[in-house]
Structure formats: structure tokens, C-alpha cells
Amino acid sequence: MTTGQDLLELSPVMPVVVIDDADDAVPTARALLAGGIGVIELTLRTPAALSAIERVAAEVPDIVIGAGTVVSPDQAKQAADAGAKFLVTPGCTDAVVDACFESGLPFLPGASTVSEAMRLAERGLSALKFFPAEASGGVAYLKSMAGPLPSLKFCPTGGITVASAPSYLALPNVGCIGGSWLTASLDPATIEKLAAEAAAL
């Protein structure tokens, strides 16, 4: 996996996971894998996040582990050092995008406007995160972006549910979606069941 485009093809749904206790990380990753989802985005929103990434990288090598909510250059480096295989940012400041490039990892930079998407395209990036998806106009907004920016593909994240997922995935410029509903409960059996449903989308 060498590019952001490759990330969009790993699974129809990329689980966006918040871990408060690093002990939950490995069982969560194993449950997703058992359900047929081979990728996990662990967000850097909690003090346990980097430790969680380290443990998943070491103990569940068959899942592609990424770091989400990368909002500073330091976080990009820390996530790479912890074993993340890709990075995801909610927005696209020059400093953060530079740091993601410097990490050598594939990444999905966040954009919610046409201008942000164009700026990222100017830097050679064609796979982007669309965030916050629902609040920014959802399916209709992404559909309207496809005309002027046909070379860009998106992973919309933010407010998407299992019910709204198919309408996003039907768009030609959507490669996959980010979903937090898969791990809203950290019960492994529940995660595995929801992962299997998501993998079938």
C-alpha cells in the first residue's frame, strides 16, 4: 500500500475508532478483522491512542492500522513512530500536510470545500477525506464536486450511519466511507457482527 488511493480500496467502510483504554485496542482490531474489515483508523483524540496503535501494530499484523485526527506535525511523526501504516487529518494546513509527506506514509488529508480540495490536488494528492461529511452538505455536496474535480476521490467521514452509507458509496467519487458506528460498543461480538454487515456494503 503506497498511496492514498490504495487506502480507499481496503474496505467499503473504514472504522473510525476512539480508544480510551489501550487494553481495548487489540480485541477491537481482532473483532473487526474477524468480521471482514482489514483496516482500522485509531483517532489521536485520547491519551491512550499512541499506545493503542503500538499494540495493534505489534499484535494484529493482519489489519492495516492508521492514525486519525492528526492535527499537528508532531502527531504525524509520533503516529508513524508508533507503527501506524497511514495517517488521516481532519483538515489541511500546510504544516500538517508537509509533515504527512515527510512521514513517508500514505495519508488522507481532510477537505470540506472545493478550494481545499483544489489546493490538495495541486500538491499531487487525489485521495482525500471529506469531513465533516453530513455537516458539510453530505451526498449532494460530494455529488456536485464530481463535475469540476473528476480526478479526486473521497472518504467521507462524520455523521454517516449504516442507513446513509449506501448513498455515499454509490457516488463515483467516493472510494470508501469512515464510520464510527462499528465500534460504538466495544463488545467484540457486536463489533464483529457490524463489521460483517459493513464489509458487505
Tab-separated table of all heavy atoms in Angstrom, residues 5 21 51 61 69 92 94 118 126-128 136 158 166 172 193 198:
chain	number	residue	atom	x	y	z
A	5	GLN	N	-4.855	6.525	-2.644
A	5	GLN	CA	-5.857	5.802	-3.452
A	5	GLN	C	-5.969	4.350	-2.988
A	5	GLN	O	-7.064	3.795	-2.943
A	5	GLN	CB	-5.484	5.853	-4.942
A	5	GLN	CG	-5.658	7.224	-5.585
A	5	GLN	CD	-7.107	7.576	-5.891
A	5	GLN	OE1	-8.005	6.776	-5.693
A	5	GLN	NE2	-7.337	8.793	-6.339
A	21	ASP	N	-8.970	3.213	26.571
A	21	ASP	CA	-8.117	2.290	27.322
A	21	ASP	C	-7.374	1.419	26.305
A	21	ASP	O	-8.010	0.706	25.520
A	21	ASP	CB	-8.988	1.418	28.233
A	21	ASP	CG	-8.180	0.437	29.085
A	21	ASP	OD1	-6.996	0.188	28.755
A	21	ASP	OD2	-8.735	-0.082	30.069
A	51	SER	N	-0.393	4.449	22.343
A	51	SER	CA	-0.140	3.120	22.907
A	51	SER	C	-1.027	2.080	22.222
A	51	SER	O	-0.596	0.955	21.929
A	51	SER	CB	-0.401	3.146	24.407
A	51	SER	OG	-0.326	1.845	24.944
A	61	PRO	N	-1.021	-7.999	13.199
A	61	PRO	CA	-0.319	-7.553	11.988
A	61	PRO	C	-1.160	-7.651	10.714
A	61	PRO	O	-0.821	-7.017	9.711
A	61	PRO	CB	0.902	-8.477	11.926
A	61	PRO	CG	0.521	-9.680	12.723
A	61	PRO	CD	-0.386	-9.188	13.803
A	69	THR	N	-7.296	11.856	13.067
A	69	THR	CA	-7.302	13.127	13.809
A	69	THR	C	-5.874	13.627	14.030
A	69	THR	O	-5.516	14.065	15.116
A	69	THR	CB	-8.072	13.006	15.148
A	69	THR	OG1	-9.203	12.153	14.978
A	69	THR	CG2	-8.592	14.366	15.593
A	92	CYS	N	-6.454	20.575	6.446
A	92	CYS	CA	-5.265	20.508	5.582
A	92	CYS	C	-4.377	21.740	5.697
A	92	CYS	O	-4.121	22.409	4.702
A	92	CYS	CB	-5.689	20.298	4.132
A	92	CYS	SG	-6.810	21.567	3.501
A	94	ASP	N	-0.853	23.671	5.820
A	94	ASP	CA	0.400	23.354	5.122
A	94	ASP	C	1.355	22.572	6.017
A	94	ASP	O	2.008	21.623	5.569
A	94	ASP	CB	1.081	24.646	4.648
A	94	ASP	CG	0.330	25.295	3.490
A	94	ASP	OD1	-0.364	24.572	2.750
A	94	ASP	OD2	0.446	26.524	3.332
A	118	MET	N	-8.993	21.590	-4.120
A	118	MET	CA	-8.132	22.030	-5.220
A	118	MET	C	-6.695	22.252	-4.744
A	118	MET	O	-5.737	21.898	-5.436
A	118	MET	CB	-8.687	23.314	-5.848
A	118	MET	CG	-9.939	23.085	-6.674
A	118	MET	SD	-10.741	24.638	-7.191
A	118	MET	CE	-9.461	25.376	-8.199
A	126	SER	N	-4.728	12.976	-4.644
A	126	SER	CA	-6.001	12.729	-5.334
A	126	SER	C	-6.989	11.940	-4.480
A	126	SER	O	-8.132	11.735	-4.879
A	126	SER	CB	-5.754	11.982	-6.647
A	126	SER	OG	-5.116	10.738	-6.396
A	127	ALA	N	-6.555	11.476	-3.305
A	127	ALA	CA	-7.440	10.750	-2.381
A	127	ALA	C	-7.546	11.584	-1.109
A	127	ALA	O	-6.552	11.812	-0.426
A	127	ALA	CB	-6.886	9.366	-2.069
A	128	LEU	N	-8.755	12.047	-0.805
A	128	LEU	CA	-8.960	12.973	0.298
A	128	LEU	C	-10.034	12.469	1.253
A	128	LEU	O	-10.885	11.675	0.882
A	128	LEU	CB	-9.395	14.352	-0.227
A	128	LEU	CG	-8.632	14.947	-1.408
A	128	LEU	CD1	-9.236	16.299	-1.798
A	128	LEU	CD2	-7.161	15.087	-1.102
A	136	SER	N	-21.255	19.164	6.256
A	136	SER	CA	-20.746	19.960	5.134
A	136	SER	C	-21.585	19.838	3.867
A	136	SER	O	-21.198	20.366	2.828
A	136	SER	CB	-19.300	19.551	4.817
A	136	SER	OG	-18.456	19.790	5.919
A	158	GLY	N	-17.978	11.464	9.166
A	158	GLY	CA	-18.615	12.430	10.054
A	158	GLY	C	-20.122	12.408	9.910
A	158	GLY	O	-20.665	12.951	8.956
A	166	PRO	N	-24.943	3.521	2.035
A	166	PRO	CA	-25.063	3.122	0.622
A	166	PRO	C	-25.176	4.301	-0.342
A	166	PRO	O	-24.647	4.241	-1.455
A	166	PRO	CB	-26.338	2.256	0.606
A	166	PRO	CG	-26.441	1.716	1.998
A	166	PRO	CD	-25.952	2.828	2.877
A	172	PRO	N	-19.662	8.149	-7.686
A	172	PRO	CA	-18.447	7.740	-8.407
A	172	PRO	C	-17.160	8.278	-7.786
A	172	PRO	O	-16.088	7.721	-8.015
A	172	PRO	CB	-18.660	8.322	-9.808
A	172	PRO	CG	-19.647	9.431	-9.637
A	172	PRO	CD	-20.527	9.022	-8.508
A	193	LYS	N	-20.147	-8.481	14.288
A	193	LYS	CA	-21.412	-8.523	13.530
A	193	LYS	C	-21.556	-7.268	12.661
A	193	LYS	O	-21.887	-7.348	11.468
A	193	LYS	CB	-22.578	-8.613	14.521
A	193	LYS	CG	-23.964	-8.535	13.886
A	193	LYS	CD	-25.044	-8.720	14.953
A	193	LYS	CE	-26.428	-8.472	14.406
A	193	LYS	NZ	-26.680	-7.046	14.102
A	198	ALA	N	-20.909	-4.238	7.415
A	198	ALA	CA	-20.237	-3.143	6.712
A	198	ALA	C	-19.407	-3.659	5.546
A	198	ALA	O	-19.362	-3.048	4.482
A	198	ALA	CB	-19.346	-2.368	7.680
